[in-house]
Amino acid sequence: SQQGEEDPQALSIQEGENATMNCSYKTSINNLQWYRQNSGRGLVHLILIRSNEREKHSGRLRVTLDTSKKSSSLLITASRAADTASYFCATAANYGGATNKLIFGTGTLLAVQP
Amino acid sequence: DVKVTQSSRYLVKRTGEKVFLECVQDMDHENMFWYRQDPGLGLRLIYFSYDVKMKEKGDIPEGYSVSREKKERFSLILESASTNQTSMYLCASSFRQGRHQPQHFGDGTRLSIL
């Protein structure tokens, strides 16, 4: 079952612009995580935001979480060509003893044009 | 640095064959996961393990089994490969302690069943 849905499915911007991706989910969560996947490679963890946090920063990344709307956004500022990748949100909830089980969305494909 | 290694990047097998996909992590993680990734469907969890010899079904376990004889190694087995199992397979691992743990991924195995 899919928990996270990203929006938009694809995004194309120019280098230097900001990129914003959104994620919506359905049930209550412990945390929400964002991952990046370069073409043909595995996923790389970017940032984790807990359910009691509203905003978190890491370098050029800014993540917000609105638990009342069950949504999150990932902002990449001053984008670079190297940011071209697919971005996935993943939610973590309690599943009995396996509290680290994640459910992934379908991803946003970001293309940054040089 | 964290490392999850999948034994093959690309694999081609025939229908009906028994297929083994191997994953090794060097971080002493308790949890290990197998996902498959298909276009438009995101990542779907096949099986996971939270300890040696322990396993739990994910969302799509049919046609698969797993083995975890040692903490660092988690194997995915396709009992009798079928063409609808052609996919990208991703292995991941994480610490079990605490509710807020990221997962660390290997680079994936792109499996084609002919």
Side-chain angles (χ1 to χ4, degrees), chain B:
Chain B
D1 201 12
V2 164
K3 194 143 179 80
V4 178
T5 303
Q6 294 185 229
S7 53
S8 305
R9 290 293 307 276
Y10 301 94
L11 206 54
V12 180
K13 296 291 182 181
R14 297 207 172 274
T15 304
E17 279 192 69
K18 191 168 186 175
V19 181
F20 294 85
L21 302 183
E22 307 286 346
C23 175
V24 177
Q25 50 95 4
D26 65 358
M27 297 157 286
D28 205 33
H29 284 164
E30 295 86 2
N31 292 333
M32 294 189 76
F33 307 84
W34 275 107
Y35 296 90
R36 65 177 282 176
Q37 183 178 23
D38 301 286
L41 297 178
L43 275 75
R44 293 180 291 166
L45 182 63
I46 304 171
Y47 267 98
F48 64 99
S49 168
Y50 53 88
D51 204 348
V52 176
K53 297 193 186 295
M54 306 303 290
K55 59 185 179 184
E56 294 273 349
K57 292 180 180 179
D59 298 319
I60 51 164
E62 297 78 21
Y64 303 94
S65 63
V66 289
S67 172
R68 185 134 182 236
E69 297 296 319
K70 294 185 177 182
K71 191 176 185 180
E72 67 271 19
R73 186 180 296 270
F74 192 34
S75 302
L76 179 70
I77 303 154
L78 285 66
E79 297 291 343
S80 177
S82 63
T83 54
N84 62 13
Q85 292 178 309
T86 291
S87 186
M88 172 74 135
Y89 289 87
L90 291 162
C91 173
S93 69
S94 72
F95 285 115
R96 187 179 177 191
Q97 199 72 11
R99 293 183 298 161
H100 306 293
Q101 297 288 350
Q103 291 185 13
H104 301 271
F105 283 80
D107 271 340
T109 296
R110 190 165 292 281
L111 175 64
S112 296
I113 307 295
L114 305 179

Side-chain angles (χ1 to χ4, degrees), chain A residues 21-40:
Chain A
M21 289 159 266
N22 303 296
C23 170
S24 60
Y25 58 92
K26 294 173 185 164
T27 62
S28 60
I29 60 173
N30 290 330
N31 66 64
L32 186 144
Q33 303 179 28
W34 285 91
Y35 289 79
R36 185 187 75 224
Q37 184 180 34
N38 287 38
S39 180

